[in-house]
Amino acid sequence: MTKDECKQVVLEIIADIAPDEDLSNVKPDVRLRDQLQLDSMDFLDIVMELRKRHSIEVPEKDYMQLASLDSCAEYLTPKFNALPAKS
Amino acid sequence: MNTRSHYDVAIIGAGMSGLAAGIRLAHFGKKVCIFERHNAVGGLNSFYSIAGRKFDVGLHAMTNFVRPGVKGTPLTKLLRQLRIERDEFALCEQKQSRIAFGPRGETSLRFTNDFAVLEAEVAARFPAQIDGFRALTAAVRSYDDVSLDAQPISAREVVRRHLADPLLEDMLFCPLMYYGSATERDMEFGQFVIMFKALFLEGFARPFEGVRLVLRVLLEKYRAAGGERRMKCGVKQIVTREGRATALVLDSGEEITADHVISSIGAPETERLCRAGFTPDRSGLNPDLQVGRLSFVETITILNRQPAALGWGSDTIIFFNDAERFDYARPAGRVDPRSGVICLPNNFDFGPGRELSEGVFRVTCLANYDPWAALPEEAYRAEKARVFAEVQRSARRFLPAVDDATLADATLTTDMFTPRTITKFTGHFGGAIYGAPVKHRQGRTALSNLYLCGTDQGFLGIVGAMLSGISMANYHILQRG
Ligand SMILES: Cc1cc2nc3c(=O)[nH]c(=O)nc-3n(C[C@H](O)[C@H](O)[C@H](O)COP(=O)(O)OP(=O)(O)OC[C@H]3O[C@@H](n4cnc5c(N)ncnc54)[C@H](O)[C@@H]3O)c2cc1C
């Protein structure tokens, strides 16, 4: 998975948990919280959807790593690539 | 090998809070089952049929209405958390509501889903208080009401710091108490803030089809997420060992087990399932297990025409009072008709050409459970008829005059519920719709894997109950992984 694909995965999750947000212009280097109305309940949902859909675990101490799309990609891409290949 | 059913989470009660908790948990892959004693879902907010006519229980209005695009409020949070699209609830806004005080409602404050209307009304009727009202509003807006561990303070005290006119003070408290106070005479300030936002800063709406639509959406989400539900299947005992709930005994005698149990039935009601021989504490010696003192009656009048045809077309909800001071407390007699709530569900804005097929005129007043509970069946019926007339007569003073003959001619049928009805159908002790006065914001109980949600966790009303289920499922189960 590339970092761009990883950002896409995160955007898809946000689109599902916050269908009322416009995601067409999300800036990758700006904190998600600063450009979208996401609260702590929504961030918890991003973490749980990552686990549910992709078996990716994000421990609580790493939640800050999900602040922006860039930091998500930085942090999550290696985790995606470390998953056992899907058969 | 154990052949009993085992669940990750068992939920007691399929009311708004239990269903919402169930949706969250099932969505994230937990094996969940909701156990409901009644044959219908919805609990305090449900519907029933008599002679082919459907009556709604609960739902005058869904509070917390905000228009599309407004974010970060309870309604939008709960839609997101339950993955419900806004359009699925198809909410229709109120026309206007009123707070009417005095023997004929001489002092009145109108409010709509636009807060500026209430502000202008306060400025016009209470010019000396408008600065204080604005300061109070600012204090409400900046208060962190979702904190689960805030210290309780008296809302009356806070409000009096801003407002010097007891009439205005009572007029503001009246709707907030009727729609969300489990305590008499005063509220905890955090609860006041929640209700002030829910009614005044946000607003009222309902789906055209009423509570049935809300329930259908919730049930469909729950089913699609893989949640199980067992109806006519009450829990009669929670088996405890070493500080944990280890099994649930169902009314049928069957036992099931679960890693976590969430109970939406109330704190003393849950305690009774844990301890054989427990009787609810009416003395108040154990404040954690007190039974709520507040209950209600509601009269329902079905009309053969729209209320507008009687001149009752403008108001959606009217909160009325004619007592010297508004007295939100358990009445000495069976009912206190001096104050109450009128709901005319036809007066939501359902869009051009769309109206409810029949007119509905509902009135809620404070009631005292004990004298109702003690009545033998025949006397109970007679009292219902007497109180019905008393409540309706009192409420009509706050509506444009319609003579008795005209109203009688317009009436197709009537029904009424009492504190006794509430206990019979929802199991809440004392007919206490808003539960016990002491709330358990964190939902903890004496058992480490048993949590409360709904009424006695403390987020009240339809939207509140759903948020309560969501928060407790998140806090105690999903957040822990
Ligand atoms: C007349 C009336 C008008 C109202 N009007 C409004 C309104 O206009 N707007 C608003 O927002 N709110 C309104 N409410 C309040 C709202 O209905 C409640 O706050 C909300 O529905 C509470 O939901 P809950 O899930 O906490 O509890 P409940 O609905 O009480 O759910 C508990 C469920 O548990 C079940 N149960 C009990 N014991 C057992 C057992 N041992 N085993 C299995 N199941 C059990 C009960 O049958 C019930 O279904 C009104 C309520 C009433 C009664």
Side-chain angles (χ1 to χ4, degrees):
Chain A
M1 176 177 282
T2 66
K3 288 188 179 164
D4 277 337
E5 285 165 343
C6 181
K7 289 177 199 173
Q8 208 46 50
V9 166
V10 174
L11 278 176
E12 275 164 28
I13 290 178
I14 298 176
D16 287 343
I17 64 178
D20 47 340
E21 291 289 340
D22 176 6
L23 302 180
S24 50
N25 284 313
V26 178
K27 297 190 192 64
D29 54 339
V30 176
R31 282 169 18 128
L32 289 165
R33 253 183 214 277
D34 293 342
Q35 45 188 335
L36 302 173
Q37 281 254 5
L38 297 177
D39 63 11
S40 54
M41 278 174 143
D42 298 316
F43 275 92
L44 175 67
D45 267 18
I46 298 177
V47 170
M48 289 194 304
E49 291 289 352
L50 283 166
R51 181 195 299 148
K52 177 181 168 180
R53 299 180 190 188
H54 306 288
S55 311
I56 298 252
E57 294 288 342
V58 180
E60 206 172 332
K61 66 173 177 31
D62 292 347
Y63 283 4
M64 310 96 73
Q65 311 286 343
L66 306 181
S68 70
L69 278 185
D70 279 344
S71 69
C72 282
E74 217 46 62
Y75 173 76
L76 293 172
T77 312
K79 289 193 173 248
F80 273 105
N81 290 331
L83 290 174
K86 284 198 192 117
S87 51
Chain B
M1 195 39 223
N2 190 342
T3 56
R4 295 194 296 204
S5 307
H6 180 83
Y7 297 96
D8 295 328
V9 189
I11 297 174
I12 310 179
M16 295 283 168
S17 65
L19 287 169
I23 291 171
R24 289 290 295 170
L25 295 163
H27 178 81
F28 289 111
K30 301 288 177 196
K31 187 174 184 305
V32 196
C33 188
I34 302 181
F35 297 89
E36 168 60 56
R37 178 164 278 149
H38 202 35
N39 57 8
V41 296
L44 287 166
N45 227 294
S46 189
F47 57 92
Y48 59 92
S49 304
I50 298 180
R53 182 174 273 111
K54 290 193 177 109
F55 291 86
D56 278 359
V57 198
L59 191 83
H60 287 171
M62 255 170 91
T63 58
N64 300 92
F65 175 83
V66 290
R67 305 218 168 98
V70 179
K71 293 171 196 160
T73 72
L75 179 66
T76 40
K77 281 185 199 191
L78 100 84
L79 293 173
R80 281 187 183 186
Q81 289 275 302
L82 300 180
R83 308 290 189 266
I84 295 171
E85 301 271 345
R86 232 196 118 92
D87 294 345
E88 290 180 76
F89 279 163
L91 293 172
C92 305
E93 296 191 46
Q94 66 167 327
K95 289 186 178 165
Q96 69 162 41
S97 293
R98 252 190 316 134
I99 310 163
F101 272 43
R104 295 254 162 324
E106 289 81 351
T107 312
S108 125
L109 293 173
R110 284 183 318 119
F111 64 99
T112 66
N113 291 352
D114 176 3
F115 184 67
V117 172
L118 178 60
E119 206 175 347
E121 291 270 306
V122 173
R125 304 277 176 292
F126 298 93
Q129 302 298 319
I130 186 63
D131 293 338
F133 179 75
R134 293 204 175 109
L136 173 65
T137 308
V140 164
R141 285 189 198 271
S142 61
Y143 186 83
D144 176 15
D145 53 22
V146 288
S147 157
L148 292 179
D149 41 34
Q151 285 308 305
I153 43 172
S154 153
R156 291 273 187 187
E157 263 173 46
V158 178
V159 170
R160 279 173 201 157
R161 268 181 236 152
H162 299 289
L163 302 179
D165 189 325
L167 177 59
L168 177 58
E169 174 190 325
D170 279 356
M171 288 182 82
L172 295 176
F173 269 98
C174 174
L176 308 189
M177 289 180 143
Y178 265 104
Y179 274 8
S181 178
T183 53
E184 297 175 284
R185 299 184 184 93
D186 196 357
M187 299 166 84
E188 196 279 300
F189 185 61
Q191 182 63 13
F192 176 89
V193 168
I194 289 176
M195 297 312 298
F196 191 99
K197 290 181 179 169
L199 274 70
F200 296 148
L201 292 173
E202 295 160 18
F204 294 154
R206 69 166 253 164
F208 180 67
E209 292 168 82
V211 72
R212 272 159 271 170
L213 179 96
V214 177
L215 290 171
R216 202 160 67 229
V217 170
L218 294 178
L219 282 178
E220 178 48 30
K221 296 281 163 194
Y222 183 60
R223 193 198 55 77
E228 274 182 60
R229 171 161 74 90
R230 291 179 63 182
M231 305 301 291
K232 286 196 181 177
C233 192
V235 173
K236 71 175 176 195
Q237 190 195 341
I238 298 174
V239 182
T240 66
R241 232 184 74 210
E242 290 163 5
R244 289 178 59 82
T246 53
L248 301 183
V249 184
L250 308 180
D251 287 338
S252 63
E254 182 189 348
E255 274 193 35
I256 66 108
T257 57
D259 295 340
H260 302 273
V261 179
I262 300 183
S263 171
S264 71
I265 69 176
E269 292 84 351
T270 302
E271 182 70 16
R272 184 173 63 177
L273 297 183
C274 298
R275 272 200 278 150
F278 166 80
T279 40
D281 186 358
R282 300 191 151 268
S283 64
L285 286 179
N286 183 347
D288 277 354
L289 295 175
Q290 269 175 42
V291 171
R293 288 172 50 81
L294 294 162
S295 190
F296 302 90
V297 292
E298 180 160 270
T299 63
I300 304 165
T301 306
I302 306 290
L303 307 168
N304 64 8
R305 58 198 85 166
Q306 298 292 311
L310 297 171
W312 298 349
S314 42
D315 299 306
T316 311
I317 314 278
I318 302 167
F319 300 90
F320 65 87
N321 171 61
D322 75 346
E324 182 84 24
R325 291 299 309 259
F326 169 56
D327 191 18
Y328 187 77
R330 166 185 280 229
R334 286 190 225 294
V335 66
D336 180 355
R338 295 174 303 166
S339 77
V341 187
I342 299 168
C343 171
L344 298 161
N346 305 75
N347 296 341
F348 285 87
D349 187 359
F350 296 121
R354 211 160 58 136
E355 56 183 31
L356 300 180
S357 60
E358 295 176 326
V360 183
F361 166 41
R362 295 165 54 176
V363 186
T364 303
C365 286
L366 286 159
N368 181 345
Y369 176 78
D370 292 337
W372 286 101
L375 285 174
E377 194 58 33
E378 215 162 290
Y380 175 65
R381 277 169 209 280
E383 270 308 286
K384 259 175 96 166
R386 187 184 66 76
V387 169
F388 186 104
E390 187 182 0
V391 163
Q392 206 183 57
R393 197 176 327 113
S394 176
R396 279 168 61 196
R397 297 175 301 157
F398 300 87
L399 286 164
V402 170
D403 61 68
D404 291 349
T406 310
L407 182 60
D409 180 55
T411 300
L412 285 172
T413 184
T414 64
D415 195 28
M416 177 177 181
F417 75 73
T418 71
R420 188 152 142 174
T421 327
I422 297 163
T423 299
K424 179 168 166 198
F425 287 107
T426 68
H428 286 289
F429 292 156
I433 288 178
Y434 295 133
V438 178
K439 299 302 181 193
H440 306 257
R441 279 284 146 106
Q442 303 200 337
R444 288 187 211 287
T445 67
L447 305 179
S448 63
N449 63 336
L450 170 68
Y451 325 104
L452 300 176
C453 75
T455 314
D456 281 345
Q457 183 270 329
F459 298 163
L460 302 173
I462 299 169
V463 169
M466 287 192 257
L467 272 183
S468 169
I470 291 168
S471 333
M472 292 300 103
N474 287 352
Y475 183 62
H476 293 293
I477 298 167
L478 295 173
Q479 241 159 314
R480 291 204 214 151

